[in-house]
Amino acid sequence: MDFEPSEEQQLLIDQVRRFVREEIIPLEAKLDPDAAELDPADHARLVEKTKAMGLFGIDIPKEYGGPDIDIVTRVLLAIEMAQHRAGLYVPCYGTFGGAGLAQIFEANEDQKERYLYPTLRGEKKAFFGLTEPSGGSDPARAIQTRAERKDNGWVLNGAKIFISNADRAQYGIVFARTDASKGRAGITCFIIDSDTPGFHVRRVVHTLRSSHYATELEFKDCWVSDHQVLGEVNKGFAVANDRLTRQRIPYAAGCIGVAIAAHEMAIEWAKMRSTFGEKLANRQAVQWMLVDNEIDIRTAKHFTLEAAEKARRGLPFRIEASIAKLTASEGGGRVVDRSMQIHGGMGMTKDLPLERWYREMRIRRVGEGPSEVQRMVIAREILGSNLR
């Protein structure tokens, strides 16, 4: 596979790179080191710029008004968009827009009118409710939230945890067990309005991300109609699984972008910083750390582009997506760690973005499926058997 960007892709890469360096980073320098939002006026101004670039709504399919870019191009742009302080989890502070929850594109026409189109217009926000207190690594078996038939609908009882944006969303996609005898074949996906009786945000869950928090949700005799079922009854896990697998590719790309930025900082610092009368760049210990950075970045980039290319061609990409997520999250974390070490004490301060990347990269080894699960997926694929 040829991973060199085409001329058209390179033009887009250069556009986004300039946007980050000329628009995002100067604004970011004036914000709190853990900020996750721009001033509304700045955000609105930059949205107009991304619209003029033809890249607003970057994750929205073309048929719904999004830009006509494939997943390989999306990965290349995601790498660029992540290269600033908040870039790992808030690439360009959302000024390129987004599609919200990908599953909503699979909704029926009535659901699209009530949820998809208002989301695309920016009138509604959504959350994704899969992980439960009983565990997130094996959602098919860990889901204990139950949905039972009642009055031409379903009554949900249970809880979800580590759910982002649930306290600010108008609706969410929630997975519940509808047939206890069928394992992953007994899970259904529901669309739940936030004002539905019996649903509420139980508490805020703080994490390593100082600017962001997750929530814990509770469902207590929460009734929804059959019209709120997304897809088919007992086939909800396929909806979740498709999202988790495909999302691992741009998720990996964000890790690569941060790693590249950290590596570039380390190189620049090593060239200018002297200790005991010698530049750090001339010390073998530092040189080898930079070499290891380069290897980790190139490895992750190769595997991520391979996964994206297979997805673009419509080929199976499950194992490639897991390898991409694994190498990018673990390798990217190592790159940030080495870059902090090269910077010494300055690397630990909030004067530089390294300490924020260090905290947030640690989360990436768990998000979208922890490293251990990725290894299980890869092992199952290469052995051709179901490992339990």
Side-chain angles (χ1 to χ4, degrees):
M1 295 181 180
D2 181 11
F3 294 143
E4 286 298 315
S6 68
E7 184 175 343
E8 182 180 356
Q9 287 173 330
Q10 191 60 56
L11 287 173
L12 292 174
I13 290 169
D14 292 342
Q15 272 190 300
V16 173
R17 185 174 295 166
R18 285 195 300 271
F19 183 85
V20 171
R21 294 182 177 177
E22 297 176 7
E23 300 288 353
I24 298 297
I25 292 177
L27 287 175
E28 199 168 52
K30 304 173 185 178
L31 299 175
D32 181 89
D34 284 312
E37 296 179 348
L38 293 176
D39 178 84
D42 287 325
H43 187 276
R45 176 177 60 82
L46 294 185
V47 164
E48 292 305 311
K49 282 184 172 288
T50 62
K51 287 180 178 179
M53 293 162 62
L55 291 175
F56 183 75
I58 197 164
D59 292 317
I60 298 173
K62 181 183 177 182
E63 58 267 32
Y64 292 99
D68 185 14
I69 60 173
D70 58 53
I71 189 170
V72 175
T73 305
R74 179 68 183 93
V75 162
L76 294 170
L77 299 185
I79 290 172
E80 298 299 325
M81 291 166 63
Q83 294 184 43
H84 60 94
R85 188 188 294 267
L88 191 60
Y89 280 99
V90 198
C92 294
Y93 294 92
T95 54
F96 283 87
L101 299 179
Q103 292 76 13
I104 293 295
F105 292 107
E106 305 302 320
N108 60 41
E109 287 305 314
D110 171 63
Q111 292 168 341
K112 286 179 180 178
E113 289 291 338
R114 290 186 290 134
Y115 300 105
L116 173 60
Y117 301 134
T119 300
L120 295 181
R121 293 193 297 266
E123 298 166 3
K124 287 187 176 182
K125 294 182 179 179
F127 67 86
F128 184 80
L130 177 65
T131 302
E132 304 207 355
S134 55
S137 296
D138 183 15
R141 296 174 180 82
I143 290 178
Q144 295 182 7
T145 295
R146 299 298 181 94
E148 298 178 347
R149 292 290 284 163
K150 184 178 181 181
D151 299 333
N152 296 318
W154 301 85
V155 175
L156 278 71
N157 283 282
K160 301 290 180 180
I161 198 168
F162 303 129
I163 309 303
S164 298
N165 302 318
D167 58 330
R168 296 185 291 177
Q170 285 71 49
Y171 71 96
I173 291 178
V174 175
F175 297 84
R177 192 170 298 283
T178 43
D179 191 331
S181 68
K182 293 184 177 180
R184 68 177 57 200
I187 295 170
T188 300
C189 181
F190 296 91
I191 305 175
I192 309 291
D193 289 300
S194 297
D195 59 359
T196 303
F199 164 75
H200 72 272
V201 177
R202 177 185 291 171
R203 68 184 179 102
V204 166
V205 182
H206 292 286
T207 68
L208 288 171
R209 292 173 61 190
S210 298
S211 64
H212 181 84
Y213 58 85
T215 61
E216 183 176 358
L217 313 180
E218 181 180 49
F219 302 87
K220 188 173 182 180
D221 296 329
C222 178
W223 184 88
V224 296
S225 73
D226 285 328
H227 298 296
Q228 300 303 105
V229 173
L230 180 60
E232 299 181 46
V233 174
N234 290 334
K235 294 186 178 180
F237 187 74
V239 174
N241 202 35
D242 177 73
R243 180 230 187 223
L244 293 172
T245 302
R246 186 169 294 273
Q247 179 60 24
R248 284 169 188 154
I249 302 174
Y251 193 88
C255 296
I256 295 167
V258 164
I260 290 172
H263 185 41
E264 290 177 346
M265 289 176 60
I267 292 170
E268 182 179 358
W269 183 262
K271 288 180 177 179
M272 62 176 285
R273 180 68 167 176
S274 295
T275 60
F276 304 100
E278 191 75 49
K279 297 290 186 185
L280 289 180
N282 295 331
R283 304 215 177 263
Q284 188 181 66
V286 172
Q287 291 175 354
W288 285 12
M289 282 193 281
L290 294 173
V291 169
D292 287 341
N293 278 0
E294 189 76 18
I295 291 171
D296 276 331
I297 290 169
R298 291 188 183 217
T299 300
K301 190 172 183 180
H302 174 90
F303 284 125
T304 301
L305 286 172
E306 181 185 17
E309 178 62 18
K310 285 201 169 185
R312 186 189 69 80
R313 294 184 185 183
L315 301 173
F317 62 92
R318 182 176 174 82
I319 186 172
E320 288 79 11
S322 286
I323 292 173
K325 195 274 176 180
L326 181 66
T327 56
S329 60
E330 292 197 348
R334 290 192 295 266
V335 170
V336 172
D337 182 70
R338 293 188 199 105
S339 299
M340 290 181 74
Q341 190 71 14
I342 290 170
H343 278 81
M346 282 300 298
M348 313 300 146
T349 70
K350 290 186 179 291
D351 290 357
L352 302 178
L354 292 167
E355 63 84 28
R356 177 169 177 172
W357 292 338
Y358 182 83
R359 287 183 283 115
E360 294 184 345
M361 282 294 292
R362 181 61 184 86
I363 303 174
R364 300 293 262 212
R365 284 162 50 194
V366 175
E368 299 297 333
S371 295
E372 294 73 22
V373 168
Q374 305 311 319
R375 288 184 166 87
M376 287 174 59
V377 169
I378 297 165
R380 183 171 59 239
E381 293 291 325
I382 62 178
L383 291 172
S385 62
N386 288 320
L387 301 182
R388 297 179 183 273

